[in-house]
Amino acid sequence: MSDGTALAGSDGRLRCPWALSAEEYVAYHDEEWGRPVHGDDALFERLSLEAFQSGLSWITILRRRPGFRAAFAGFHIEKVAAFTDEDRERLLADTGIIRNRAKIDATLANARVLAEWSEGELDELIWSHAPDPAGRPVPRVLGDVAAVTPESTALSKALKKRGLRFVGPTTAYALMQACGLVDDHLETCVGRGITRGA
């Protein structure tokens, strides 16, 4: 049982304890989580997946990500914005994704909103809420990692003001963690320090 500190994996390297419960988590932790993500389509994918994760385990989303990508046209904003009522019905019947009507509708609505934005506008808006890393304490244990911050609350409000849905402060902070706006790898974790400049 972990006390919340980094744990050694099968390779002997220390990682955030949540990363060791499944193979998919190890790969996600080591190769993606906390690494800077840029580009409107890439950020739309992460924002959508974080919304689908709400109330579920992240491993559920990771295991279905290929299905999500196939179902949502690779999360290309323009393509998803053009989805029809028939596409919506297809998504509601697709066992390769989470068939939650509200989350599917929010993803489609968000794509339609974002299709009206200028190229790079989503990227700029999200990254404008990245906190100064110098002012953030380094988490030593999982209990030091917040679920919501003033920056995520501000990002949530900014996204909602622009018409996006399913973007509460907790979802916004999970997005910030996943996309490298903050470095919440624990102090002794092998992933610590990979964010922001990669």
Side-chain angles (χ1 to χ4, degrees):
M1 187 91 179
S2 171
D3 60 359
T5 59
L7 297 176
S10 59
D11 59 1
R13 298 164 72 198
L14 293 175
R15 291 181 177 85
C16 301
W18 62 263
L20 299 176
S21 63
E23 271 183 43
E24 294 95 338
Y25 270 152
V26 175
Y28 177 68
H29 173 274
D30 288 4
E31 299 165 18
E32 290 187 64
W33 193 73
R35 294 183 184 267
V37 173
H38 287 282
D40 292 346
D41 290 337
L43 288 166
F44 171 59
E45 176 184 2
R46 301 315 195 286
L47 189 62
S48 300
L49 294 179
E50 293 295 348
F52 272 101
Q53 185 272 331
S54 180
L56 301 170
S57 167
W58 182 245
I59 196 70
T60 302
I61 303 302
L62 279 182
R63 289 178 174 158
R64 294 186 185 203
R65 188 155 63 165
F68 274 108
R69 286 176 169 167
F72 286 97
F75 289 97
H76 293 287
I77 293 168
E78 296 289 338
K79 291 179 180 178
V80 179
F83 277 16
T84 64
D85 288 342
E86 289 76 23
D87 289 307
R88 179 178 178 272
E89 292 307 310
R90 170 184 57 80
L91 293 168
L92 288 168
D94 190 335
T95 57
I97 65 170
I98 306 301
R99 294 175 294 168
N100 179 295
R101 185 177 306 274
K103 294 175 182 180
I104 288 170
D105 287 347
T107 303
L108 300 180
N110 288 347
R112 291 182 188 115
V113 168
L114 293 171
E116 300 298 317
W117 292 18
S118 302
E119 185 176 341
E121 196 170 348
L122 178 62
D123 190 308
E124 183 179 337
L125 175 62
I126 288 173
W127 277 89
S128 72
H129 288 82
D132 179 358
R136 292 176 50 82
V138 175
R140 297 177 61 212
V141 297
L142 282 181
D144 295 340
V145 179
V148 175
T149 64
E151 294 86 2
S152 76
T153 300
L155 174 57
S156 171
K157 287 179 180 176
L159 292 168
K160 287 178 181 178
K161 185 176 181 181
R162 298 290 304 275
L164 298 183
R165 295 161 46 185
F166 256 94
V167 288
T170 303
T171 297
Y173 193 64
L175 176 76
M176 294 171 80
Q177 291 173 305
C179 295
L181 280 75
V182 296
D183 186 351
D184 275 345
H185 286 280
L186 300 183
E187 183 177 42
T188 57
C189 174
V190 67
R192 183 78 200 162
I194 60 171
T195 65
R196 300 297 298 270

